[in-house]
Amino acid sequence: MKKITLVALLLVSRAFADKLNIAVAANVSYAIGELKAEFNKIYPDIEVHETLTSSGKLTAQIKNGAPYDLFMAANMKYPNALYDEGLAVTRPLIYAQGSLAYLSNEKLDYSKGINLVKGADIKKIAIANPKTAPYGKAAVEAMTNGGVYDVAKSKLVFAESISQTVTYALTATDVGFIAKSTLYSDKMKKYKKGINWEDVDPKLYTPINQGIVLLKRAEANPSAAAFYSFMLSSKAKKILNDYGYLVP
């Protein structure tokens, strides 16, 4: 009886060890499925559960004790803050560099560049909330450096995350500033470059370095360490590159 109980306890403890909770910036929502699938080819017994929202919100949740093992942020600011406060056990490293794109359900004249947003036909512009979402902050920076922010600011419609920004860009506004990575999912393939979307001039905003950290809760969790190492591997970098990211 004691042997059976011991075996049962070992099985339960392993089951818990093989469940991984990760906090993931919303812009990675389109790539995370493929990343998990590739990871599970190597570690089939590790169940990865992701929570997707803005980096600012995820950081607040982590500070309030949310049970995450690993954080994939949309910039370096938030993981650096967690590391400085002792809530992360690894110094933040760059796992990807993101970039901005314009997106619209309509055909627009992207030859105008950033001046596009000044047009009388552009009445509403979707961006992620710059207070919590790095891509929203980059959008404001691009408009400011492009000399169009004063005209555009009254047109801005703020979304909670970059994925919601995509929805707004296609349904509720005339154009949106989105993460280029979101354009690489199957459901977005019908939107064509030069017609529905175009790159925002990268000279207008600071490169979006996206940081990864192993969190305090997972300090002795081998499953979390395995996923962390995978995200810095050549296999993960290839997937991220396929989804429009630059990889260090």
Side-chain angles (χ1 to χ4, degrees), residues 16-52:
F16 277 109
D18 287 345
K19 286 184 180 178
L20 191 61
N21 293 317
I22 62 175
V24 182
N27 75 85
V28 191
S29 62
Y30 299 86
I32 194 64
E34 197 168 333
L35 289 166
K36 285 169 56 179
E38 188 64 33
F39 175 74
N40 282 139
K41 288 179 184 178
I42 309 167
Y43 302 99
D45 296 327
I46 300 177
E47 245 180 79
V48 182
H49 301 274
E50 73 275 11
T51 298
L52 293 151

mmCIF file of all heavy atoms in Angstrom, residues 16-52:
data_model
loop_
_atom_site.group_PDB
_atom_site.id
_atom_site.type_symbol
_atom_site.label_atom_id
_atom_site.label_comp_id
_atom_site.label_asym_id
_atom_site.label_seq_id
_atom_site.Cartn_x
_atom_site.Cartn_y
_atom_site.Cartn_z
ATOM 1 N N PHE A 16 2.740 17.890 -12.146
ATOM 2 C CA PHE A 16 2.814 19.326 -11.848
ATOM 3 C C PHE A 16 4.087 19.934 -12.432
ATOM 4 O O PHE A 16 4.084 21.031 -12.940
ATOM 5 C CB PHE A 16 2.755 19.560 -10.333
ATOM 6 C CG PHE A 16 1.346 19.573 -9.799
ATOM 7 C CD1 PHE A 16 0.866 18.541 -9.025
ATOM 8 C CD2 PHE A 16 0.483 20.623 -10.109
ATOM 9 C CE1 PHE A 16 -0.444 18.556 -8.553
ATOM 10 C CE2 PHE A 16 -0.823 20.643 -9.627
ATOM 11 C CZ PHE A 16 -1.283 19.603 -8.851
ATOM 12 N N ALA A 17 5.200 19.185 -12.346
ATOM 13 C CA ALA A 17 6.464 19.692 -12.866
ATOM 14 C C ALA A 17 6.412 19.886 -14.374
ATOM 15 O O ALA A 17 7.111 20.722 -14.930
ATOM 16 C CB ALA A 17 7.583 18.738 -12.502
ATOM 17 N N ASP A 18 5.568 19.080 -15.065
ATOM 18 C CA ASP A 18 5.509 19.120 -16.522
ATOM 19 C C ASP A 18 4.467 20.087 -17.050
ATOM 20 O O ASP A 18 4.185 20.101 -18.242
ATOM 21 C CB ASP A 18 5.244 17.719 -17.080
ATOM 22 C CG ASP A 18 6.471 16.821 -16.954
ATOM 23 O OD1 ASP A 18 7.575 17.350 -16.706
ATOM 24 O OD2 ASP A 18 6.318 15.607 -17.097
ATOM 25 N N LYS A 19 3.875 20.880 -16.175
ATOM 26 C CA LYS A 19 2.951 21.930 -16.597
ATOM 27 C C LYS A 19 3.637 23.272 -16.459
ATOM 28 O O LYS A 19 4.160 23.602 -15.409
ATOM 29 C CB LYS A 19 1.665 21.904 -15.767
ATOM 30 C CG LYS A 19 0.744 20.755 -16.125
ATOM 31 C CD LYS A 19 -0.549 20.823 -15.348
ATOM 32 C CE LYS A 19 -1.470 19.654 -15.733
ATOM 33 N NZ LYS A 19 -2.722 19.674 -14.945
ATOM 34 N N LEU A 20 3.628 24.012 -17.530
ATOM 35 C CA LEU A 20 4.378 25.257 -17.586
ATOM 36 C C LEU A 20 3.441 26.401 -17.924
ATOM 37 O O LEU A 20 2.681 26.330 -18.896
ATOM 38 C CB LEU A 20 5.453 25.111 -18.668
ATOM 39 C CG LEU A 20 6.537 26.161 -18.782
ATOM 40 C CD1 LEU A 20 7.349 26.230 -17.511
ATOM 41 C CD2 LEU A 20 7.443 25.825 -19.972
ATOM 42 N N ASN A 21 3.476 27.459 -17.115
ATOM 43 C CA ASN A 21 2.655 28.646 -17.369
ATOM 44 C C ASN A 21 3.561 29.792 -17.811
ATOM 45 O O ASN A 21 4.452 30.196 -17.070
ATOM 46 C CB ASN A 21 1.892 29.053 -16.103
ATOM 47 C CG ASN A 21 0.850 28.038 -15.711
ATOM 48 O OD1 ASN A 21 0.127 27.534 -16.559
ATOM 49 N ND2 ASN A 21 0.778 27.713 -14.431
ATOM 50 N N ILE A 22 3.312 30.295 -19.010
ATOM 51 C CA ILE A 22 4.161 31.368 -19.525
ATOM 52 C C ILE A 22 3.318 32.608 -19.838
ATOM 53 O O ILE A 22 2.183 32.510 -20.289
ATOM 54 C CB ILE A 22 4.960 30.920 -20.759
ATOM 55 C CG1 ILE A 22 4.040 30.518 -21.923
ATOM 56 C CG2 ILE A 22 5.887 29.767 -20.409
ATOM 57 C CD1 ILE A 22 4.787 30.191 -23.210
ATOM 58 N N ALA A 23 3.907 33.755 -19.579
ATOM 59 C CA ALA A 23 3.283 35.044 -19.882
ATOM 60 C C ALA A 23 3.878 35.540 -21.196
ATOM 61 O O ALA A 23 5.099 35.683 -21.312
ATOM 62 C CB ALA A 23 3.561 36.041 -18.764
ATOM 63 N N VAL A 24 3.008 35.797 -22.180
ATOM 64 C CA VAL A 24 3.485 36.087 -23.539
ATOM 65 C C VAL A 24 2.860 37.375 -24.063
ATOM 66 O O VAL A 24 1.633 37.534 -24.051
ATOM 67 C CB VAL A 24 3.147 34.919 -24.500
ATOM 68 C CG1 VAL A 24 3.692 35.191 -25.893
ATOM 69 C CG2 VAL A 24 3.690 33.598 -23.963
ATOM 70 N N ALA A 25 3.707 38.280 -24.533
ATOM 71 C CA ALA A 25 3.211 39.520 -25.140
ATOM 72 C C ALA A 25 2.297 39.201 -26.306
ATOM 73 O O ALA A 25 2.538 38.265 -27.081
ATOM 74 C CB ALA A 25 4.386 40.369 -25.612
ATOM 75 N N ALA A 26 1.241 39.989 -26.459
ATOM 76 C CA ALA A 26 0.195 39.691 -27.444
ATOM 77 C C ALA A 26 0.705 39.609 -28.870
ATOM 78 O O ALA A 26 0.153 38.876 -29.689
ATOM 79 C CB ALA A 26 -0.909 40.742 -27.351
ATOM 80 N N ASN A 27 1.780 40.340 -29.188
ATOM 81 C CA ASN A 27 2.260 40.300 -30.569
ATOM 82 C C ASN A 27 2.801 38.925 -30.959
ATOM 83 O O ASN A 27 2.931 38.630 -32.146
ATOM 84 C CB ASN A 27 3.320 41.384 -30.802
ATOM 85 C CG ASN A 27 4.662 41.044 -30.195
ATOM 86 O OD1 ASN A 27 5.479 40.356 -30.790
ATOM 87 N ND2 ASN A 27 4.905 41.531 -28.992
ATOM 88 N N VAL A 28 3.100 38.078 -29.976
ATOM 89 C CA VAL A 28 3.634 36.744 -30.270
ATOM 90 C C VAL A 28 2.508 35.718 -30.416
ATOM 91 O O VAL A 28 2.752 34.544 -30.686
ATOM 92 C CB VAL A 28 4.630 36.304 -29.166
ATOM 93 C CG1 VAL A 28 5.404 35.050 -29.572
ATOM 94 C CG2 VAL A 28 5.633 37.411 -28.854
ATOM 95 N N SER A 29 1.265 36.147 -30.272
ATOM 96 C CA SER A 29 0.136 35.220 -30.286
ATOM 97 C C SER A 29 0.040 34.424 -31.583
ATOM 98 O O SER A 29 -0.450 33.298 -31.602
ATOM 99 C CB SER A 29 -1.183 35.962 -30.029
ATOM 100 O OG SER A 29 -1.423 36.912 -31.035
ATOM 101 N N TYR A 30 0.536 35.000 -32.677
ATOM 102 C CA TYR A 30 0.430 34.329 -33.968
ATOM 103 C C TYR A 30 1.517 33.280 -34.163
ATOM 104 O O TYR A 30 1.360 32.348 -34.939
ATOM 105 C CB TYR A 30 0.472 35.367 -35.100
ATOM 106 C CG TYR A 30 -0.675 36.346 -35.001
ATOM 107 C CD1 TYR A 30 -0.574 37.485 -34.206
ATOM 108 C CD2 TYR A 30 -1.878 36.110 -35.652
ATOM 109 C CE1 TYR A 30 -1.629 38.370 -34.078
ATOM 110 C CE2 TYR A 30 -2.940 36.987 -35.528
ATOM 111 C CZ TYR A 30 -2.811 38.122 -34.736
ATOM 112 O OH TYR A 30 -3.867 38.987 -34.600
ATOM 113 N N ALA A 31 2.627 33.420 -33.449
ATOM 114 C CA ALA A 31 3.741 32.484 -33.587
ATOM 115 C C ALA A 31 3.790 31.445 -32.469
ATOM 116 O O ALA A 31 4.424 30.401 -32.621
ATOM 117 C CB ALA A 31 5.067 33.256 -33.610
ATOM 118 N N ILE A 32 3.106 31.706 -31.352
ATOM 119 C CA ILE A 32 3.284 30.862 -30.173
ATOM 120 C C ILE A 32 2.834 29.424 -30.403
ATOM 121 O O ILE A 32 3.427 28.475 -29.878
ATOM 122 C CB ILE A 32 2.587 31.474 -28.925
ATOM 123 C CG1 ILE A 32 3.053 30.771 -27.635
ATOM 124 C CG2 ILE A 32 1.074 31.439 -29.071
ATOM 125 C CD1 ILE A 32 4.501 30.928 -27.320
ATOM 126 N N GLY A 33 1.800 29.227 -31.210
ATOM 127 C CA GLY A 33 1.321 27.872 -31.482
ATOM 128 C C GLY A 33 2.390 27.021 -32.139
ATOM 129 O O GLY A 33 2.622 25.864 -31.752
ATOM 130 N N GLU A 34 3.053 27.566 -33.142
ATOM 131 C CA GLU A 34 4.115 26.838 -33.840
ATOM 132 C C GLU A 34 5.334 26.650 -32.946
ATOM 133 O O GLU A 34 5.999 25.606 -32.996
ATOM 134 C CB GLU A 34 4.492 27.569 -35.128
ATOM 135 C CG GLU A 34 5.274 26.710 -36.100
ATOM 136 C CD GLU A 34 5.399 27.325 -37.480
ATOM 137 O OE1 GLU A 34 4.515 28.111 -37.878
ATOM 138 O OE2 GLU A 34 6.395 27.015 -38.152
ATOM 139 N N LEU A 35 5.628 27.656 -32.130
ATOM 140 C CA LEU A 35 6.737 27.523 -31.187
ATOM 141 C C LEU A 35 6.485 26.385 -30.194
ATOM 142 O O LEU A 35 7.375 25.571 -29.926
ATOM 143 C CB LEU A 35 6.949 28.846 -30.441
ATOM 144 C CG LEU A 35 7.541 29.994 -31.252
ATOM 145 C CD1 LEU A 35 7.369 31.323 -30.515
ATOM 146 C CD2 LEU A 35 9.027 29.748 -31.549
ATOM 147 N N LYS A 36 5.279 26.317 -29.673
ATOM 148 C CA LYS A 36 4.928 25.244 -28.732
ATOM 149 C C LYS A 36 4.996 23.878 -29.406
ATOM 150 O O LYS A 36 5.488 22.905 -28.814
ATOM 151 C CB LYS A 36 3.526 25.487 -28.163
ATOM 152 C CG LYS A 36 3.438 26.585 -27.136
ATOM 153 C CD LYS A 36 1.991 26.952 -26.814
ATOM 154 C CE LYS A 36 1.173 25.770 -26.359
ATOM 155 N NZ LYS A 36 -0.226 26.155 -26.039
ATOM 156 N N ALA A 37 4.506 23.811 -30.637
ATOM 157 C CA ALA A 37 4.504 22.525 -31.356
ATOM 158 C C ALA A 37 5.928 22.025 -31.580
ATOM 159 O O ALA A 37 6.214 20.822 -31.409
ATOM 160 C CB ALA A 37 3.778 22.687 -32.695
ATOM 161 N N GLU A 38 6.829 22.932 -31.946
ATOM 162 C CA GLU A 38 8.229 22.547 -32.167
ATOM 163 C C GLU A 38 8.881 22.140 -30.847
ATOM 164 O O GLU A 38 9.649 21.169 -30.791
ATOM 165 C CB GLU A 38 8.994 23.713 -32.802
ATOM 166 C CG GLU A 38 10.399 23.368 -33.257
ATOM 167 C CD GLU A 38 10.449 22.334 -34.366
ATOM 168 O OE1 GLU A 38 9.521 22.304 -35.205
ATOM 169 O OE2 GLU A 38 11.423 21.543 -34.386
ATOM 170 N N PHE A 39 8.562 22.887 -29.778
ATOM 171 C CA PHE A 39 9.085 22.552 -28.448
ATOM 172 C C PHE A 39 8.634 21.164 -28.022
ATOM 173 O O PHE A 39 9.419 20.375 -27.483
ATOM 174 C CB PHE A 39 8.621 23.603 -27.440
ATOM 175 C CG PHE A 39 8.996 23.305 -26.018
ATOM 176 C CD1 PHE A 39 10.307 23.455 -25.579
ATOM 177 C CD2 PHE A 39 8.040 22.889 -25.098
ATOM 178 C CE1 PHE A 39 10.662 23.186 -24.256
ATOM 179 C CE2 PHE A 39 8.379 22.618 -23.781
ATOM 180 C CZ PHE A 39 9.693 22.763 -23.355
ATOM 181 N N ASN A 40 7.361 20.823 -28.284
ATOM 182 C CA ASN A 40 6.827 19.526 -27.868
ATOM 183 C C ASN A 40 7.350 18.351 -28.690
ATOM 184 O O ASN A 40 7.208 17.202 -28.285
ATOM 185 C CB ASN A 40 5.306 19.546 -27.883
ATOM 186 C CG ASN A 40 4.709 20.250 -26.681
ATOM 187 O OD1 ASN A 40 3.744 20.997 -26.794
ATOM 188 N ND2 ASN A 40 5.282 20.039 -25.495
ATOM 189 N N LYS A 41 7.960 18.651 -29.826
ATOM 190 C CA LYS A 41 8.655 17.581 -30.562
ATOM 191 C C LYS A 41 9.874 17.120 -29.773
ATOM 192 O O LYS A 41 10.267 15.954 -29.832
ATOM 193 C CB LYS A 41 9.102 18.085 -31.941
ATOM 194 C CG LYS A 41 7.978 18.286 -32.938
ATOM 195 C CD LYS A 41 8.541 18.800 -34.257
ATOM 196 C CE LYS A 41 7.432 19.114 -35.250
ATOM 197 N NZ LYS A 41 7.980 19.658 -36.523
ATOM 198 N N ILE A 42 10.461 18.049 -29.027
ATOM 199 C CA ILE A 42 11.649 17.740 -28.217
ATOM 200 C C ILE A 42 11.236 17.272 -26.825
ATOM 201 O O ILE A 42 11.815 16.336 -26.276
ATOM 202 C CB ILE A 42 12.557 18.983 -28.104
ATOM 203 C CG1 ILE A 42 12.841 19.581 -29.482
ATOM 204 C CG2 ILE A 42 13.878 18.626 -27.403
ATOM 205 C CD1 ILE A 42 13.462 20.964 -29.435
ATOM 206 N N TYR A 43 10.223 17.935 -26.258
ATOM 207 C CA TYR A 43 9.749 17.631 -24.901
ATOM 208 C C TYR A 43 8.244 17.351 -24.944
ATOM 209 O O TYR A 43 7.424 18.198 -24.578
ATOM 210 C CB TYR A 43 10.032 18.803 -23.957
ATOM 211 C CG TYR A 43 11.488 19.186 -23.854
ATOM 212 C CD1 TYR A 43 12.004 20.252 -24.586
ATOM 213 C CD2 TYR A 43 12.352 18.483 -23.011
ATOM 214 C CE1 TYR A 43 13.347 20.608 -24.487
ATOM 215 C CE2 TYR A 43 13.693 18.826 -22.906
ATOM 216 C CZ TYR A 43 14.186 19.886 -23.653
ATOM 217 O OH TYR A 43 15.509 20.232 -23.557
ATOM 218 N N PRO A 44 7.862 16.162 -25.394
ATOM 219 C CA PRO A 44 6.424 15.864 -25.567
ATOM 220 C C PRO A 44 5.616 15.825 -24.274
ATOM 221 O O PRO A 44 4.389 15.926 -24.308
ATOM 222 C CB PRO A 44 6.431 14.493 -26.254
ATOM 223 C CG PRO A 44 7.768 13.906 -25.931
ATOM 224 C CD PRO A 44 8.716 15.044 -25.818
ATOM 225 N N ASP A 45 6.283 15.662 -23.144
ATOM 226 C CA ASP A 45 5.556 15.530 -21.873
ATOM 227 C C ASP A 45 5.346 16.854 -21.141
ATOM 228 O O ASP A 45 4.729 16.882 -20.078
ATOM 229 C CB ASP A 45 6.297 14.562 -20.933
ATOM 230 C CG ASP A 45 6.353 13.142 -21.495
ATOM 231 O OD1 ASP A 45 5.389 12.754 -22.179
ATOM 232 O OD2 ASP A 45 7.362 12.459 -21.265
ATOM 233 N N ILE A 46 5.863 17.957 -21.700
ATOM 234 C CA ILE A 46 5.703 19.255 -21.033
ATOM 235 C C ILE A 46 4.526 20.005 -21.644
ATOM 236 O O ILE A 46 4.506 20.291 -22.836
ATOM 237 C CB ILE A 46 6.992 20.111 -21.145
ATOM 238 C CG1 ILE A 46 8.173 19.381 -20.492
ATOM 239 C CG2 ILE A 46 6.789 21.466 -20.464
ATOM 240 C CD1 ILE A 46 9.504 20.117 -20.608
ATOM 241 N N GLU A 47 3.545 20.279 -20.809
ATOM 242 C CA GLU A 47 2.345 21.021 -21.235
ATOM 243 C C GLU A 47 2.592 22.508 -21.051
ATOM 244 O O GLU A 47 2.825 22.957 -19.929
ATOM 245 C CB GLU A 47 1.164 20.616 -20.351
ATOM 246 C CG GLU A 47 0.045 19.895 -21.079
ATOM 247 C CD GLU A 47 -1.067 19.555 -20.107
ATOM 248 O OE1 GLU A 47 -1.869 20.450 -19.774
ATOM 249 O OE2 GLU A 47 -1.109 18.396 -19.660
ATOM 250 N N VAL A 48 2.520 23.267 -22.130
ATOM 251 C CA VAL A 48 2.768 24.702 -22.045
ATOM 252 C C VAL A 48 1.448 25.456 -22.156
ATOM 253 O O VAL A 48 0.713 25.309 -23.140
ATOM 254 C CB VAL A 48 3.725 25.177 -23.161
ATOM 255 C CG1 VAL A 48 3.996 26.679 -23.018
ATOM 256 C CG2 VAL A 48 5.035 24.391 -23.107
ATOM 257 N N HIS A 49 1.139 26.249 -21.135
ATOM 258 C CA HIS A 49 -0.072 27.085 -21.132
ATOM 259 C C HIS A 49 0.353 28.546 -21.176
ATOM 260 O O HIS A 49 1.121 28.997 -20.330
ATOM 261 C CB HIS A 49 -0.905 26.817 -19.879
ATOM 262 C CG HIS A 49 -1.354 25.403 -19.738
ATOM 263 N ND1 HIS A 49 -2.509 24.927 -20.316
ATOM 264 C CD2 HIS A 49 -0.773 24.351 -19.107
ATOM 265 C CE1 HIS A 49 -2.638 23.630 -20.040
ATOM 266 N NE2 HIS A 49 -1.596 23.260 -19.311
ATOM 267 N N GLU A 50 -0.153 29.269 -22.168
ATOM 268 C CA GLU A 50 0.253 30.665 -22.302
ATOM 269 C C GLU A 50 -0.894 31.619 -21.964
ATOM 270 O O GLU A 50 -2.064 31.313 -22.211
ATOM 271 C CB GLU A 50 0.778 30.966 -23.715
ATOM 272 C CG GLU A 50 -0.274 31.023 -24.805
ATOM 273 C CD GLU A 50 -0.633 29.663 -25.385
ATOM 274 O OE1 GLU A 50 -0.229 28.627 -24.812
ATOM 275 O OE2 GLU A 50 -1.332 29.628 -26.414
ATOM 276 N N THR A 51 -0.541 32.770 -21.405
ATOM 277 C CA THR A 51 -1.473 33.878 -21.204
ATOM 278 C C THR A 51 -0.983 35.017 -22.078
ATOM 279 O O THR A 51 0.168 35.438 -21.982
ATOM 280 C CB THR A 51 -1.509 34.322 -19.732
ATOM 281 O OG1 THR A 51 -1.979 33.230 -18.930
ATOM 282 C CG2 THR A 51 -2.435 35.525 -19.548
ATOM 283 N N LEU A 52 -1.859 35.499 -22.949
ATOM 284 C CA LEU A 52 -1.501 36.505 -23.944
ATOM 285 C C LEU A 52 -2.203 37.824 -23.668
ATOM 286 O O LEU A 52 -3.429 37.889 -23.640
ATOM 287 C CB LEU A 52 -1.891 36.020 -25.351
ATOM 288 C CG LEU A 52 -1.123 34.815 -25.889
ATOM 289 C CD1 LEU A 52 -1.985 34.008 -26.847
ATOM 290 C CD2 LEU A 52 0.143 35.272 -26.596
#
